[in-house]
Amino acid sequence: MTSSGEVAVEVCGLTKAFGPTLALDEATFDVARGEIFGLLGPNGAGKTTTMRILLTLLKPSAGMAKVAGHDVTKDPVQVRERVGWVPQEHAVDPLLTVAENMAFMGGMYHLPPRAARRRSAQLLEVAGLAGHRDKVARDLSGGTRRKLELAMSLVNVPDVLFLDEPTVGLDITARRDLWSYVRQISRQGTTIMLTTHYLEEADALCDRVAIIDRGRIQETGAPGQLKITYGATTLDEVFLAATGQELVA
Ligand SMILES: Nc1ncnc2c1ncn2[C@@H]1O[C@H](COP(=O)(O)OP(=O)(O)OP(=O)(O)O)[C@@H](O)[C@H]1O
Ligand SMILES: [Mg+2]
């Protein structure tokens, strides 16, 4: 990163305690504008906690975080206007159709109905969902439903998109299909931060990753560079060397 204008997410000494549990322990990392950045770690590592703080849904106990140039604690409204989020689970209304779910998001962001319809049609087209628009969400396959959730998170044209375990539970074909959709979103200029348990996914998709374990960032870097640094052939080996444990997906 050469100037602060190119930093999409800035995290410095970020700490979150839930009572005696230190969910996040002085985490520090940056995400450059336009990057696909992966936060990798086992269950309970602090991935969702990090994301929730960056989305202004949770207050940090200590430390600083900025998203799209705005401090999450001091300027939460400005942050919220610039982010999109696909939570770990339950992002669609299963009883609404694909088009109705998109319209709901348009309403959430106060888009005029006509603009919302136009934006929704474009997003469904790019996601390959145009043929599903009148299907009820609960009848979609897991992969198609996840794509709908991504499309919904793009209604307000976010600068930074947060995806919490976007492909968990999907088979490899559906995962690859979702990866190509994520790459397409990235090419259109959105910075993407995702969490995953799948090291293969991080390797295939992410420009850079941070390895997090028990609330502490153990390592950050490009997957290829980390493999060189650790003399490893896979990210699994890097993970083992950096944390002393295997990440079993
Ligand atoms: N609201 C909460 N109250 C108390 N403890 C919490 C709360 N949210 C998270 N924690 C704890 O903080 C730690 C980090 O949780 P977090 O959900 O961030 O992990 P994660 O890396 O997203 O895990 P997973 O892979 O299972 O989604 C865990 O020990 C968790 O039990
Ligand atoms: Mg989580």
Side-chain angles (χ1 to χ4, degrees), residues 43-44 46-49 88 164-165 195 197:
N43 288 127
K47 304 182 297 296
T48 298
T49 300
Q88 202 160 345
D164 200 353
E165 312 225 3
T195 70
H197 289 120

Side-chain angles (χ1 to χ4, degrees), residues 51-206:
M51 229 170 228
R52 290 174 66 82
I53 293 173
L54 295 175
L55 287 159
T56 77
L57 300 172
L58 203 59
K59 278 201 163 63
S61 309
M64 186 282 301
K66 282 186 182 174
V67 175
H70 296 279
D71 189 293
V72 294
T73 310
K74 295 182 194 136
D75 306 320
V77 174
Q78 284 86 340
V79 172
R80 280 179 215 154
E81 280 170 4
R82 288 164 179 83
V83 295
W85 178 38
V86 178
Q88 202 160 345
E89 47 199 9
H90 306 311
V92 296
D93 185 327
L95 299 178
L96 296 183
T97 66
V98 166
E100 287 165 347
N101 268 293
M102 294 295 286
F104 171 76
M105 288 306 278
M108 290 275 287
Y109 289 108
H110 306 294
L111 295 188
R114 205 199 294 181
R117 275 197 299 276
R118 201 179 322 121
R119 176 87 184 130
S120 157
Q122 273 170 359
L123 288 168
L124 292 181
E125 191 65 46
V126 173
L129 294 175
H132 295 290
R133 63 183 308 283
D134 296 320
K135 270 194 199 160
V136 176
R138 73 170 167 210
D139 294 339
L140 302 174
S141 71
T144 306
R145 186 179 167 135
R146 213 52 177 152
K147 271 206 232 166
L148 168 60
E149 291 170 347
L150 259 67
M152 285 166 65
S153 73
L154 296 169
V155 162
N156 69 327
V157 197
D159 291 336
V160 187
L161 179 60
F162 292 91
L163 308 176
D164 200 353
E165 312 225 3
T167 66
V168 78
L170 304 184
D171 67 29
I172 189 65
T173 311
R175 278 163 66 196
R176 293 210 170 115
D177 196 29
L178 205 87
W179 297 349
S180 76
Y181 182 35
V182 170
R183 286 191 196 102
Q184 210 162 358
I185 295 167
S186 165
R187 278 198 297 274
Q188 288 171 357
T190 307
T191 303
I192 295 169
M193 179 168 164
L194 59 90
T195 70
T196 185
H197 289 120
Y198 300 122
L199 294 170
E200 177 205 357
E201 170 161 297
D203 209 355
L205 194 55
C206 296

